[in-house]
């Protein structure tokens, strides 16, 4: 599947919702795992501000890639962020969108490097 790298160098990223386990089957509550490593996958909603636009992105990240205290409003860094277009059909309805995946989401509040000079 095609992956598109996302440049986050000029963006401001803040946690919008604390990390949650990514559920792959809502009926059973089964938690999604990385196909290559077997690591449990988490979802972190972040506010992504760049080019005078602000969006809330839901980013999938392995549990091992989450570091620091990621509470609402925490400045964060997204390492290895990629976008993947997707499309599926369910009950005759076609749906499509963009899924975001990162290698790591790191709190910048604990490192002291999260502030940008104005």
């Amino acid at each position: 599947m095609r992956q598109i790298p996302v440049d986050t160098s000029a963006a401001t990223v803040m946690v919008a919702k604390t990390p949650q386990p990514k559920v792959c089957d809502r009926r059973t509550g089964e938690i999604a795992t990385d196909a290559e490593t077997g690591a449990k996958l988490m979802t972190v909603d972040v506010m992504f501000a760049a080019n005078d636009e602000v969006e809330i992105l839901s980013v999938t990240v392995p549990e091992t890639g989450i570091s620091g205290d990621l509470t609402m409003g925490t400045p964060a860094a997204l390492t290895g962020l990629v976008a993947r277009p997707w499309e599926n059909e369910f009950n005759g309805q076609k749906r499509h969108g963009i899924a975001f995946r990162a290698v790591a989401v790191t709190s910048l509040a604990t490192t002291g490097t999260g502030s940008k000079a104005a």
Side-chain angles (χ1 to χ4, degrees):
M1 179 178 282
R2 182 177 181 176
Q3 294 184 21
I4 304 163
V6 179
D7 180 12
T8 61
S9 62
T12 299
V13 179
M14 293 177 71
V15 175
K17 185 176 178 184
T18 58
Q20 305 290 317
K22 181 173 181 148
V23 178
C24 65
D25 187 336
R26 291 183 184 165
R27 292 174 295 167
T28 64
E30 181 182 357
I31 304 302
T33 57
D34 184 277
E36 294 176 14
T37 66
K40 184 166 105 173
L41 293 176
M42 304 292 283
T43 302
V44 182
D45 290 352
V46 297
M47 179 200 73
F48 189 90
N51 303 322
D52 294 328
E53 299 280 332
V54 177
E55 292 191 48
I56 301 295
L57 305 180
S58 186
V59 179
T60 299
V61 62
E63 186 175 37
T64 55
I66 294 177
S67 63
D69 186 20
L70 297 178
T71 57
M72 185 183 296
T74 303
L78 300 173
T79 303
L81 183 65
V82 295
R84 294 183 190 178
W86 60 268
E87 181 177 281
N88 65 24
E89 188 172 334
F90 184 73
N91 289 336
Q93 297 273 333
K94 285 193 175 186
R95 300 179 62 207
H96 63 277
I98 299 173
F100 294 93
R101 174 106 183 221
V103 172
V105 178
T106 308
S107 169
L108 295 178
T110 59
T111 63
T113 60
S115 63
K116 289 186 176 182

